[in-house]
Amino acid sequence: MRPQLHHLNRSNMSTSLNTGSQQRISDAIIQDHNELRDYYKRYNEANIDEERQQWFNQFQWELARHSVGEELVLYPAFEKNLGDEGKRIADEDRAEHQKAKELLYQLDKLTASDAEHPTLLKQLVDELTEHMRGEEENDLPKFEQTLTAQDSASLARSFARTKKFAPTRSHPNAPDKPPFETAAGLLATPIDKLRDLFTSFPETA
């Protein structure tokens, strides 16, 4: 049975992103990672399918926006600042994103009441955990060494702005590099946001 619809303001659903001038890009990325970990934890703690579905919806909403934000803002900056190594890191991260998008797309066709939903979601989270650990422990510290405080803060603001216009669903067949991803995202975002109006989310996230 589909959960009751809640027409909520999605901009208030995730923890408010501090876009102050001193927030580094790595802080913004890690904050998103921590939110995704929390949403998955709450999915597992939920006692009924309706609540699990709501937390999955929240997880999907944040992951889709986060992935596009990284692909449009972070990975091009890796390539620019870290040279050949940055291109290698960005290409590996894009490949990991593609796997995640494909799993998320499969999950979007299911509901939390489907028997395979938790297994497929765990597979996705396991892959994301390795991806996030690599970014937090290796990629981001190395990248921050190439940035001034002002440059890092500017990237954090760009990342936050990009997420506001990013699609909120997985589109695994869309390009993952600008400018093509930007155009594809602008086409997909209005449709995704319309779907958000008819999607049930947690009352508090």
Side-chain angles (χ1 to χ4, degrees), residues 14 16 19 40 61 65 82 87 92 97-98 102 108 113 119 127 134 142 154-156 158 163 173 181 203:
S14 62
S16 176
T19 56
Y40 181 59
W61 181 83
R65 296 163 63 249
L82 294 172
K87 185 179 186 308
E92 289 177 357
H97 273 198
Q98 182 62 27
E102 290 169 359
D108 193 38
S113 61
T119 302
E127 295 201 9
K142 190 175 298 184
S154 177
L155 282 169
S158 294
K163 285 176 59 181
N173 294 324
E181 182 177 33
E203 294 287 357

Side-chain angles (χ1 to χ4, degrees), residues 34 51 77 104-105 117 141 148 152 157 163 169 192 199-200:
N34 288 335
E51 188 178 357
L104 198 60
Y105 184 73
H117 195 275
T148 66
S152 189
R157 291 192 294 272
K163 285 176 59 181
R169 296 292 193 282
D192 287 354
T199 298
S200 178

Side-chain angles (χ1 to χ4, degrees), residues 8-10 19 21 28 37 48 57 62 72 85 95 108 118-119 126 128 139-140 148 154 165 186 192:
L8 302 179
N9 183 346
R10 302 301 310 138
T19 56
S21 60
R37 292 179 180 113
I48 58 175
N57 293 342
E62 182 58 40
L72 291 180
E85 183 179 16
D108 193 38
T119 302
D126 286 346
L128 282 176
D139 304 347
L140 290 170
T148 66
S154 177
F165 297 98
L186 290 174
D192 287 354

Side-chain angles (χ1 to χ4, degrees), residues 21 23-25 81 143-155:
S21 60
Q23 188 187 40
R24 303 176 304 163
I25 181 61
N81 287 42
F143 179 55
E144 286 285 0
Q145 292 177 3
T146 72
L147 301 173
T148 66
Q150 292 79 7
D151 288 341
S152 189
S154 177
L155 282 169

Side-chain angles (χ1 to χ4, degrees), residues 87-105:
K87 185 179 186 308
R88 176 187 61 77
I89 292 171
D91 285 346
E92 289 177 357
D93 286 346
R94 288 188 183 103
E96 291 169 358
H97 273 198
Q98 182 62 27
K99 292 179 182 177
K101 289 176 185 177
E102 290 169 359
L103 288 169
L104 198 60
Y105 184 73

